[in-house]
Amino acid sequence: DTEVTQTPKHLVMGMTNKKSLKCEQHMGHRAMYWYKQKAKKPPELMFVYSYEKLSINESVPSRFSPECPNSSLLNLHLHALQPEDSALYLCASSRGTGPGANVLTFGAGSRLTVL
Amino acid sequence: GDSVTQMEGPVTLSEEAFLTINCTYTATGYPSLFWYVQYPGEGLQLLLKATKADDKGSNKGFEATYRKETTSFHLEKGSVQVSDSAVYFCALSDNNAGNMLTFGGGTRLMVKP
């Protein structure tokens, strides 16, 4: 299995809703990532988990809350989002974060629309 | 800090034309270099990589050579197909800076029949 699976593919939510994005990989990778991608822009790093511990938080607002329940799963909990948070959210994984181990495998993304 | 600069698109070519997408970088240390491709409605896929100077990455007819003297990693393909239409991202990973990826702005390629 060489895939990163993200669900749901599309999500529409109101500003008062609470929802979650889910990501799963079964490649034995020990690093997992959340990226945000706006239209016609490159992905922007949000969070990095290494060995199930949060290692990087790129000053992301607290309305985004990541969770790594185990080495195969990564969630992004969403609460009180703003319309400008509408974007494609990409999950990725890699063998590790060290030199030579950091080639990322990306999921297809979850397209989020905040009304 | 690290940065990656790509030629702005869109690049529009006819099928079987030669493709070059320019990429230059600025980094401390000795980065690894990557090209990722994003097809419409999908996530990013690794296209090719090079980890040291003069390495050539290649895949699916695409090639890029790591040129330390010109700090470049230009993507080339001898004969593009309609199915190559996508957005191409050049990226680097600085082995001295936590190995996080720094992306260029992306170049949209449109190939017409």
Side-chain angles (χ1 to χ4, degrees), chain A residues 37 42 97 102-104 106-108, chain B residues 36 38 43-44 46 89 93 99 104:
Chain A
Q37 187 180 25
T97 57
N102 62 335
V103 177
L104 269 59
F106 282 86
Chain B
Y36 281 86
Q38 186 172 31
L44 279 70
L46 178 67
F89 291 97
S93 172
N99 294 298

Side-chain angles (χ1 to χ4, degrees), chain A residues 12-49:
Chain A
V12 179
M13 60 186 291
M15 289 190 284
T16 58
N17 291 157
K18 283 187 182 181
K19 297 286 185 184
S20 297
L21 305 180
K22 297 184 184 302
C23 175
E24 190 169 5
Q25 57 87 15
H26 295 289
M27 295 177 280
H29 287 177
R30 302 314 300 267
M32 297 187 76
Y33 309 74
W34 280 115
Y35 282 85
K36 174 182 177 180
Q37 187 180 25
K38 302 284 276 185
K40 299 187 179 182
K41 297 291 187 183
E44 300 173 11
L45 183 64
M46 300 175 73
F47 302 105
V48 180
Y49 275 83

